[in-house]
Amino acid sequence: RWMFYTPEMAEQMVQRREMENSLRDALKKQQFRLVYQPRYGHNSSRIIAVEALIRWDHPELGLLMPDQFISLAEETGLIIPLSDWVLKTACHDAQQSLHGLSVSVNISAVEFQSWGLIDRVRDALQVSQLDPARLEIEITENATLWNPESSLELMLALKKLGVKLLMDDFGTGYSSLSYLRNFPFDGIKLDKSFISDMPESDSANTIVKNIIGLGKAFSLSITAEGVETEGQLQKLMMMECDETQGYLIGKPLSLTALQEQMAALDSAAQERTGQQSQG
């Protein structure tokens, strides 16, 4: 095709190159940090897991969210060392400070094209001494589209390590039903776009109820993402959704803040138990 040159093209290339150099520098200087968003289990009535989410403390641009740099990391190959850092840090934090909780880590589609992922996950588990059953790998269904046969083998190899596999953003891709049948997932995370119109929208309620039923038919745990109102939570509990995640449950927190929140919740629960026993 034909394209007319404009000065903005050169400017965009310069900005991209500068951002790439900044990203390389950030890896060396460890300018990244993790925050953790809680996941609430309704059967146990407590926080049972956290999702590790990366943040970049850029020295000039301030706090950057993943959607501002992950795609660049994927294009430049920097996603591998960046993901390594996330895996090792999340496993270390879970082992040292988040006793009893599972931790989930997002794996990009680019990473899922390499068998090196198996060694990287194994190394993170060995270094941290984390029980593999407490590590959950979140994968979007699109990550497996490049080569379904190879993806299945890779997932089975991950399962042999003892980790769990979650399908992230369920319902936003093209082949969700067949993927549930053919791939060894342990659970699905229902995309927040389905939750946003609940409970006011009858069609949204029906869709979510059917998806929950579908997941249970495949013996999968069901997590609803993006839960922000009490009405949504109550509706999901009526539908027997296993777990919920969202701002109503808890915003992404630093490790210290998460520990403080959990200590406060445990204290409140113990106080309620004491009052009930006295009654």
Side-chain angles (χ1 to χ4, degrees):
R1 63 177 180 172
W2 290 91
M3 182 176 292
F4 289 98
Y5 172 81
T6 62
E8 288 78 12
M9 292 180 182
E11 185 178 338
Q12 290 174 357
M13 290 177 64
V14 170
Q15 290 176 347
R16 186 183 184 282
R17 195 177 302 117
E18 290 177 349
M19 195 67 168
E20 180 181 343
N21 291 335
S22 295
L23 191 56
R24 294 182 187 277
D25 197 44
L27 283 165
K28 294 177 183 177
K29 296 181 178 178
Q30 297 186 338
Q31 294 173 352
F32 300 100
R33 59 184 170 91
L34 291 184
V35 291
Y36 295 95
Q37 186 167 25
R39 213 169 74 222
Y40 187 83
H42 296 295
N43 291 333
S44 57
S45 299
R46 64 181 181 87
I47 294 172
I48 60 172
V50 293
E51 180 179 358
L53 302 167
I54 191 170
R55 301 289 186 265
W56 180 3
D57 290 316
H58 195 287
E60 298 173 0
L61 302 177
L63 182 66
L64 298 183
M65 306 299 280
D67 59 359
Q68 295 175 279
F69 60 89
I70 290 297
S71 60
L72 177 61
E74 290 177 332
E75 293 169 12
T76 57
L78 294 174
I79 190 65
I80 302 300
L82 187 61
S83 179
D84 267 349
W85 179 85
V86 172
L87 268 170
K88 290 176 180 177
T89 303
C91 288
H92 174 271
D93 287 351
Q95 174 67 6
Q96 298 298 322
S97 307
L98 301 174
H99 305 295
L101 297 186
S102 296
V103 61
S104 64
V105 175
N106 293 278
I107 296 298
S108 77
V110 173
E111 296 175 80
F112 214 67
Q113 297 179 22
S114 169
W115 278 84
L117 176 62
I118 307 300
D119 293 331
R120 292 166 46 220
V121 172
R122 183 187 293 111
D123 289 345
L125 290 170
Q126 289 178 345
V127 170
S128 64
Q129 294 299 300
L130 180 70
D131 179 358
R134 290 176 58 198
L135 176 61
E136 300 171 335
I137 302 296
E138 295 195 20
I139 310 163
T140 62
E141 59 188 278
N142 293 335
T144 62
L145 289 176
W146 67 281
N147 189 329
E149 292 79 13
S150 180
S151 295
L152 177 58
E153 292 179 12
L154 195 150
M155 292 175 73
L156 291 173
L158 284 170
K159 294 283 289 182
K160 282 186 178 180
L161 295 179
V163 304
K164 296 179 180 178
L165 303 178
L166 304 181
M167 182 190 286
D168 195 18
D169 300 333
F170 179 82
T172 59
Y174 300 104
S175 308
S176 297
L177 181 58
S178 64
Y179 276 43
L180 292 185
R181 185 175 64 249
N182 298 327
F183 290 92
F185 286 103
D186 297 282
I188 59 177
K189 301 189 75 174
L190 185 56
D191 189 72
K192 60 185 179 182
S193 61
F194 292 101
I195 309 300
S196 59
D197 292 333
M198 294 178 65
E200 291 78 16
S201 169
D202 290 337
S203 61
N205 294 336
T206 301
I207 291 170
V208 171
K209 182 178 180 180
N210 288 336
I211 292 177
I212 291 173
L214 177 66
K216 290 184 178 296
F218 285 101
S219 301
L220 300 172
S221 66
I222 317 296
T223 301
E225 295 184 289
V227 179
E228 298 184 354
T229 70
E230 190 67 33
Q232 292 171 343
L233 177 63
Q234 294 302 321
K235 194 69 174 179
L236 288 164
M237 291 178 66
M238 288 175 56
M239 295 176 178
E240 299 184 351
C241 183
D242 300 309
E243 303 167 9
T244 49
Q245 184 178 348
Y247 278 18
L248 182 68
I249 309 302
K251 296 182 179 180
L253 299 170
S254 68
L255 182 61
T256 302
L258 177 64
Q259 290 175 296
E260 292 173 353
Q261 183 188 70
M262 293 187 63
L265 290 173
D266 288 342
S267 177
Q270 290 175 1
E271 185 176 334
R272 286 196 299 271
T273 302
Q275 291 173 350
Q276 290 172 357
S277 62
Q278 290 176 3

